[in-house]
Amino acid sequence: MSDYLIKALDKTKNLRLLTITAKDLVQEAQTRQDTWSASSAVLGRTLIAGVLLAGAELSDKEELTLRLLGDGPVGATVVTAQSNLTVKGYVKNPHIALPSKKAGHIDVKSAVGSGWLQVTKDLGLKEPYTGEVPIVSGEIAEDVAYYLTKSEQIPSAVGLSVFVNPNNTIGEAGGFILQALPGASDSLIDQTINRINELPALSTSFLAGMTPEDLARKILGTDCKILTKDEVAFKCDCSRKKYTELLRTLKSSELKAMITEDHGAELTCNFCSQQYQFTQEQLQNILDQKLN
Ligand code: ZN
């Protein structure tokens, strides 16, 4: 298991922590969408945030979608994570690289810009629930913490890290979400936040081989209790059937245009770049079924 998420509690059981290593997952997204450094950092951090939130908040067959709607060059970023800790996501503009703020530090804030962070949860109820906060930082971790604190009233600290190699492959990726449970005292929270503030840069530590368990002990103390360890992965749930359904929802005139003008259709999944080809005959079948 190379990518995984762990859940841990501090010894007083008033702080809950999730930590994750996700290099392969972010690498798969990078490869599928051919993202450049700034796009990889934005997409990777949002993917990690999605899995962490799914681990923290979802149960059986639920899903959540993060939409980072900034006015920066990367454009909208959309990530959907499932309760089984699989995740998919894309950025509107994959080919964004920006000058480093300092050596090896990607300017994620400028890549994201200002706008809104939306979190939609589909908990199997009639209507999915959406919470929204302004993008307060653009570094994504602080924005997710702000969302949790403001919109869900859960005092939280979040760290997200993606290191992009000079050849655009992913060197490391990981992060954490710390949540204060109702019994947590101010002194316990302060002490823990101090420990987080004193941590070296996450990317440096992950590159040096830090595991999610190591990170949990650094944040919660060596006497923390690790509860679960689960595999995480990039996974898209698209299928030919799904795209056939989508075509069926088009107006007959649009389908006719695809048949007579384009002589077929090629649809590409935003999330995983899988292509689905439909021939003229296949489109005609869909149109016939629609008209009957
Ligand atoms: Zn797909």
Side-chain angles (χ1 to χ4, degrees):
M1 191 187 309
S2 56
D3 281 355
Y4 63 92
L5 176 148
I6 65 165
K7 292 184 195 173
L9 283 174
D10 77 308
K11 75 166 177 201
T12 72
K13 299 188 178 147
N14 287 309
L15 294 176
R16 191 158 74 125
L17 178 72
L18 289 82
T19 59
I20 184 174
T21 179
K23 179 184 156 188
D24 293 350
L25 182 166
V26 176
Q27 181 61 65
E28 178 149 1
Q30 191 278 327
T31 307
R32 284 182 179 274
Q33 294 168 38
D34 185 33
T35 48
W36 296 359
S37 57
S39 301
S40 298
V42 173
L43 178 58
R45 287 189 193 183
T46 314
L47 285 166
I48 297 166
V51 188
L52 284 167
L53 281 179
E57 304 198 328
L58 300 185
S59 49
D60 198 29
K61 294 195 174 138
E62 296 173 349
E63 72 170 39
L64 61 82
T65 297
L66 292 177
R67 288 184 189 83
L68 189 63
L69 307 171
D71 61 1
V74 166
T77 305
V78 180
V79 161
T80 298
Q82 312 280 339
S83 52
N84 67 5
L85 303 181
T86 60
V87 68
K88 61 180 182 177
Y90 67 91
V91 286
K92 181 153 189 286
N93 301 311
H95 290 168
I96 303 297
L98 297 174
S100 297
K101 280 205 289 198
K102 55 186 183 200
H105 190 101
I106 296 167
D107 192 353
V108 172
K109 205 185 193 68
S110 301
V112 170
S114 50
W116 295 89
L117 170 66
Q118 292 177 346
V119 180
T120 301
K121 283 191 216 161
D122 188 345
L123 306 177
L125 307 168
K126 255 188 202 154
E127 294 289 330
Y129 166 81
T130 298
E132 183 180 67
V133 290
I135 294 172
V136 288
S137 144
E139 295 280 352
I140 305 171
E142 288 155 51
D143 300 298
V144 173
Y146 185 75
Y147 161 78
L148 286 168
T149 307
K150 283 282 162 190
S151 190
E152 301 196 3
Q153 279 90 46
I154 307 168
S156 306
V158 180
L160 302 168
S161 160
V162 172
F163 186 88
V164 182
N165 293 317
N167 67 359
N168 275 340
T169 59
I170 304 301
E172 68 78 24
F176 68 86
I177 286 185
L178 174 74
Q179 299 189 315
L181 302 176
S185 66
D186 289 347
S187 66
L188 176 66
I189 295 173
D190 289 347
Q191 199 182 18
T192 312
I193 295 295
N194 283 341
R195 274 204 291 259
I196 290 173
N197 291 337
E198 282 163 16
L199 289 176
L202 280 181
S203 60
T204 313
S205 302
F206 278 122
L207 283 170
M210 178 179 70
T211 65
E213 290 87 342
D214 297 335
L215 180 58
R217 286 188 278 264
K218 282 182 186 183
I219 294 175
L220 294 179
T222 49
D223 49 8
C224 72
K225 188 168 166 41
I226 291 169
L227 306 172
T228 56
K229 173 175 175 175
D230 293 295
E231 198 167 349
V232 299
F234 184 98
K235 189 166 181 280
C236 190
D237 52 356
C238 70
S239 62
R240 191 171 177 83
K241 188 164 170 253
K242 225 168 162 169
Y243 278 91
T244 309
E245 295 297 330
L246 183 75
L247 286 168
R248 213 164 268 154
T249 66
L250 295 180
K251 289 191 196 127
S252 299
S253 58
E254 291 174 298
L255 280 168
K256 273 179 199 154
M258 284 179 175
I259 295 165
T260 54
E261 289 163 29
D262 307 332
H263 308 291
E266 182 181 276
L267 306 177
T268 305
C269 176
N270 278 335
F271 288 100
C272 70
S273 301
Q274 172 76 44
Q275 293 183 332
Y276 296 94
Q277 324 267 352
F278 290 85
T279 63
Q280 242 171 306
E281 292 71 31
Q282 287 165 334
L283 292 174
Q284 188 64 52
N285 277 338
I286 291 171
L287 181 62
D288 291 345
Q289 283 168 17
K290 201 177 159 71
L291 296 174
N292 283 334

